[in-house]
Amino acid sequence: MTMAVTLYERLMKNAQPSQWRKIVAEDLDLDYCERFLTAAESANLFNYMENNVCYFDGRLSQVKVFGQYYPIPRQQVAFGDVGVSYKFSGTVVPAQPWPQPLYDLKSKICTARGVDYNFVLVNRYKNGEDHMGEHRDDEVELDKTVPIASVSLGQTRKFVFKHTDVLWMTA
């Protein structure tokens, strides 16, 4: 049985994982790796997520802004250790049990970076119209000493950081 090979898999077939790089600036300490997952790992995880994950609906697919609920412009679901939840913008997101492919990813990140995460918020963007607006991961429940990890699969998108001390002045 032969499987169709995606363009990404063809391009990445001989690519070696990148080395970790660091960007340090005022109030920014960022470690990143362009190809943390191999092409096969990435394709397998992407296919698993596309074919096996049910995303939240109802109130868990909305965000509260200034007392009003609005649809989140993406799909999301959360996984994690038993009893863990995440609260943001008036929404409490409960963790579902780790599916094996995400638990394996968590273990790989722990091995590479020495951080044993207990929760993941999965955001699925259908197309270029789905997005995440400017935000801060500054909820009081978050331990500021633990770094946030982000893994992207699928189409390339910009990941933009903006300093929090930027002041907007009007004349």
Side-chain angles (χ1 to χ4, degrees):
M1 178 173 135
T2 60
M3 296 181 71
V5 177
T6 67
L7 174 60
Y8 177 77
E9 289 171 314
R10 284 196 309 259
L11 291 172
M12 296 299 292
K13 182 177 182 181
N14 297 319
Q16 297 299 314
S18 296
Q19 296 296 317
W20 284 92
R21 297 179 185 164
K22 180 178 271 302
I23 299 174
V24 177
E26 185 180 343
D27 295 326
L28 175 67
D29 183 1
L30 174 72
D31 296 329
Y32 72 99
C33 181
E34 290 181 28
R35 287 185 291 278
F36 179 68
L37 300 175
T38 66
E41 288 171 326
S42 180
N44 288 339
L45 183 56
F46 182 85
N47 289 333
Y48 176 84
M49 298 302 289
E50 286 294 291
N51 296 312
N52 297 285
V53 172
C54 295
Y55 293 89
F56 292 142
D57 58 11
R59 186 65 73 181
L60 289 175
S61 66
Q62 299 175 340
V63 64
K64 189 176 184 181
V65 180
F66 299 115
Q68 295 284 351
Y69 282 95
Y70 299 94
I72 297 172
R74 62 188 176 275
Q75 293 176 297
Q76 67 180 21
V77 65
F79 301 99
D81 295 350
V82 175
V84 175
S85 63
Y86 175 52
K87 182 179 179 181
F88 70 98
S89 299
T91 302
V92 177
V93 180
Q96 298 180 33
W98 291 101
Q100 193 62 49
L102 283 179
Y103 189 83
D104 294 344
L105 174 61
K106 169 183 125 73
S107 297
K108 183 172 180 163
I109 292 170
C110 181
T111 299
R113 306 309 293 167
V115 178
D116 189 18
Y117 292 97
N118 63 358
F119 182 88
V120 62
L121 181 64
V122 175
N123 292 313
R124 182 184 184 276
Y125 304 92
K126 295 179 292 202
N127 55 42
E129 299 300 314
D130 281 7
H131 63 280
M132 178 181 291
E134 285 187 14
H135 72 286
R136 296 181 198 173
D137 292 320
D138 60 358
E139 289 74 18
V140 295
E141 296 88 8
L142 294 177
D143 182 343
K144 296 192 183 327
T145 65
V146 177
I148 295 171
S150 178
V151 176
S152 297
L153 304 171
Q155 289 293 120
T156 301
R157 295 287 188 264
K158 289 183 180 181
F159 201 115
V160 179
F161 293 92
K162 180 178 171 185
H163 199 285
T164 58
D165 290 341
V166 173
L167 296 176
W168 296 99
M169 310 267 311
T170 57

